[in-house]
PDB file of all heavy atoms in Angstrom:
ATOM      1  N   VAL A 306     122.079  77.751 184.079  1.00  0.00           N
ATOM      2  CA  VAL A 306     121.864  77.735 182.624  1.00  0.00           C
ATOM      3  C   VAL A 306     120.369  77.672 182.315  1.00  0.00           C
ATOM      4  O   VAL A 306     119.868  78.428 181.472  1.00  0.00           O
ATOM      5  CB  VAL A 306     122.630  76.561 181.972  1.00  0.00           C
ATOM      6  CG1 VAL A 306     122.198  76.341 180.526  1.00  0.00           C
ATOM      7  CG2 VAL A 306     124.133  76.819 182.051  1.00  0.00           C
ATOM      8  N   ILE A 307     119.644  76.803 183.000  1.00  0.00           N
ATOM      9  CA  ILE A 307     118.199  76.702 182.771  1.00  0.00           C
ATOM     10  C   ILE A 307     117.504  78.019 183.130  1.00  0.00           C
ATOM     11  O   ILE A 307     116.674  78.529 182.373  1.00  0.00           O
ATOM     12  CB  ILE A 307     117.597  75.525 183.569  1.00  0.00           C
ATOM     13  CG1 ILE A 307     118.098  74.194 183.017  1.00  0.00           C
ATOM     14  CG2 ILE A 307     116.069  75.579 183.559  1.00  0.00           C
ATOM     15  CD1 ILE A 307     117.718  73.912 181.581  1.00  0.00           C
ATOM     16  N   ALA A 308     117.850  78.586 184.264  1.00  0.00           N
ATOM     17  CA  ALA A 308     117.195  79.810 184.726  1.00  0.00           C
ATOM     18  C   ALA A 308     117.473  81.014 183.831  1.00  0.00           C
ATOM     19  O   ALA A 308     116.608  81.865 183.646  1.00  0.00           O
ATOM     20  CB  ALA A 308     117.624  80.128 186.161  1.00  0.00           C
ATOM     21  N   HIS A 309     118.679  81.088 183.260  1.00  0.00           N
ATOM     22  CA  HIS A 309     119.058  82.296 182.525  1.00  0.00           C
ATOM     23  C   HIS A 309     118.975  82.192 181.003  1.00  0.00           C
ATOM     24  O   HIS A 309     118.916  83.224 180.331  1.00  0.00           O
ATOM     25  CB  HIS A 309     120.468  82.722 182.931  1.00  0.00           C
ATOM     26  CG  HIS A 309     120.523  83.274 184.313  1.00  0.00           C
ATOM     27  ND1 HIS A 309     120.686  82.485 185.429  1.00  0.00           N
ATOM     28  CD2 HIS A 309     120.389  84.536 184.752  1.00  0.00           C
ATOM     29  CE1 HIS A 309     120.671  83.242 186.498  1.00  0.00           C
ATOM     30  NE2 HIS A 309     120.490  84.499 186.126  1.00  0.00           N
ATOM     31  N   TYR A 310     118.988  80.978 180.455  1.00  0.00           N
ATOM     32  CA  TYR A 310     119.061  80.869 178.996  1.00  0.00           C
ATOM     33  C   TYR A 310     117.947  80.036 178.350  1.00  0.00           C
ATOM     34  O   TYR A 310     117.651  80.221 177.175  1.00  0.00           O
ATOM     35  CB  TYR A 310     120.415  80.281 178.571  1.00  0.00           C
ATOM     36  CG  TYR A 310     121.605  81.019 179.139  1.00  0.00           C
ATOM     37  CD1 TYR A 310     122.476  80.397 180.026  1.00  0.00           C
ATOM     38  CD2 TYR A 310     121.848  82.345 178.805  1.00  0.00           C
ATOM     39  CE1 TYR A 310     123.568  81.072 180.557  1.00  0.00           C
ATOM     40  CE2 TYR A 310     122.939  83.035 179.328  1.00  0.00           C
ATOM     41  CZ  TYR A 310     123.790  82.389 180.205  1.00  0.00           C
ATOM     42  OH  TYR A 310     124.856  83.064 180.731  1.00  0.00           O
ATOM     43  N   ALA A 311     117.354  79.114 179.077  1.00  0.00           N
ATOM     44  CA  ALA A 311     116.427  78.148 178.469  1.00  0.00           C
ATOM     45  C   ALA A 311     115.193  78.796 177.849  1.00  0.00           C
ATOM     46  O   ALA A 311     114.660  78.285 176.868  1.00  0.00           O
ATOM     47  CB  ALA A 311     116.010  77.096 179.495  1.00  0.00           C
ATOM     48  N   LYS A 312     114.750  79.897 178.392  1.00  0.00           N
ATOM     49  CA  LYS A 312     113.542  80.538 177.882  1.00  0.00           C
ATOM     50  C   LYS A 312     113.743  81.083 176.460  1.00  0.00           C
ATOM     51  O   LYS A 312     112.819  81.062 175.650  1.00  0.00           O
ATOM     52  CB  LYS A 312     113.111  81.664 178.815  1.00  0.00           C
ATOM     53  CG  LYS A 312     111.849  82.360 178.387  1.00  0.00           C
ATOM     54  CD  LYS A 312     111.430  83.423 179.378  1.00  0.00           C
ATOM     55  CE  LYS A 312     110.186  84.141 178.891  1.00  0.00           C
ATOM     56  NZ  LYS A 312     109.788  85.208 179.794  1.00  0.00           N
ATOM     57  N   ASN A 313     114.953  81.545 176.155  1.00  0.00           N
ATOM     58  CA  ASN A 313     115.192  82.236 174.896  1.00  0.00           C
ATOM     59  C   ASN A 313     116.133  81.533 173.921  1.00  0.00           C
ATOM     60  O   ASN A 313     116.340  82.037 172.821  1.00  0.00           O
ATOM     61  CB  ASN A 313     115.740  83.639 175.183  1.00  0.00           C
ATOM     62  CG  ASN A 313     114.755  84.476 175.965  1.00  0.00           C
ATOM     63  OD1 ASN A 313     113.606  84.612 175.576  1.00  0.00           O
ATOM     64  ND2 ASN A 313     115.195  85.023 177.088  1.00  0.00           N
ATOM     65  N   PHE A 314     116.715  80.420 174.327  1.00  0.00           N
ATOM     66  CA  PHE A 314     117.684  79.739 173.478  1.00  0.00           C
ATOM     67  C   PHE A 314     117.403  78.242 173.432  1.00  0.00           C
ATOM     68  O   PHE A 314     116.878  77.672 174.383  1.00  0.00           O
ATOM     69  CB  PHE A 314     119.114  79.961 173.998  1.00  0.00           C
ATOM     70  CG  PHE A 314     119.549  81.392 173.947  1.00  0.00           C
ATOM     71  CD1 PHE A 314     119.397  82.218 175.053  1.00  0.00           C
ATOM     72  CD2 PHE A 314     120.109  81.921 172.799  1.00  0.00           C
ATOM     73  CE1 PHE A 314     119.790  83.538 175.021  1.00  0.00           C
ATOM     74  CE2 PHE A 314     120.510  83.243 172.756  1.00  0.00           C
ATOM     75  CZ  PHE A 314     120.355  84.061 173.867  1.00  0.00           C
ATOM     76  N   SER A 315     117.810  77.629 172.347  1.00  0.00           N
ATOM     77  CA  SER A 315     117.700  76.181 172.209  1.00  0.00           C
ATOM     78  C   SER A 315     118.787  75.531 173.071  1.00  0.00           C
ATOM     79  O   SER A 315     119.972  75.805 172.887  1.00  0.00           O
ATOM     80  CB  SER A 315     117.888  75.809 170.738  1.00  0.00           C
ATOM     81  OG  SER A 315     117.907  74.425 170.585  1.00  0.00           O
ATOM     82  N   LEU A 316     118.381  74.694 174.019  1.00  0.00           N
ATOM     83  CA  LEU A 316     119.317  74.054 174.945  1.00  0.00           C
ATOM     84  C   LEU A 316     118.875  72.637 175.276  1.00  0.00           C
ATOM     85  O   LEU A 316     117.685  72.366 175.399  1.00  0.00           O
ATOM     86  CB  LEU A 316     119.370  74.810 176.276  1.00  0.00           C
ATOM     87  CG  LEU A 316     120.147  76.100 176.355  1.00  0.00           C
ATOM     88  CD1 LEU A 316     119.859  76.803 177.674  1.00  0.00           C
ATOM     89  CD2 LEU A 316     121.633  75.834 176.226  1.00  0.00           C
ATOM     90  N   SER A 317     119.847  71.762 175.445  1.00  0.00           N
ATOM     91  CA  SER A 317     119.638  70.426 176.013  1.00  0.00           C
ATOM     92  C   SER A 317     120.727  70.223 177.047  1.00  0.00           C
ATOM     93  O   SER A 317     121.890  70.574 176.802  1.00  0.00           O
ATOM     94  CB  SER A 317     119.739  69.339 174.945  1.00  0.00           C
ATOM     95  OG  SER A 317     118.699  69.454 174.023  1.00  0.00           O
ATOM     96  N   LEU A 318     120.369  69.673 178.188  1.00  0.00           N
ATOM     97  CA  LEU A 318     121.342  69.386 179.232  1.00  0.00           C
ATOM     98  C   LEU A 318     121.111  67.981 179.754  1.00  0.00           C
ATOM     99  O   LEU A 318     119.966  67.535 179.837  1.00  0.00           O
ATOM    100  CB  LEU A 318     121.184  70.350 180.420  1.00  0.00           C
ATOM    101  CG  LEU A 318     121.612  71.788 180.246  1.00  0.00           C
ATOM    102  CD1 LEU A 318     120.527  72.612 179.631  1.00  0.00           C
ATOM    103  CD2 LEU A 318     122.023  72.348 181.590  1.00  0.00           C
TER     104      LEU A 318
END
Side-chain angles (χ1 to χ4, degrees):
V306 168
I307 292 298
H309 289 87
Y310 307 116
K312 182 177 178 182
N313 298 307
F314 296 94
S315 175
L316 283 170
S317 294
L318 288 85

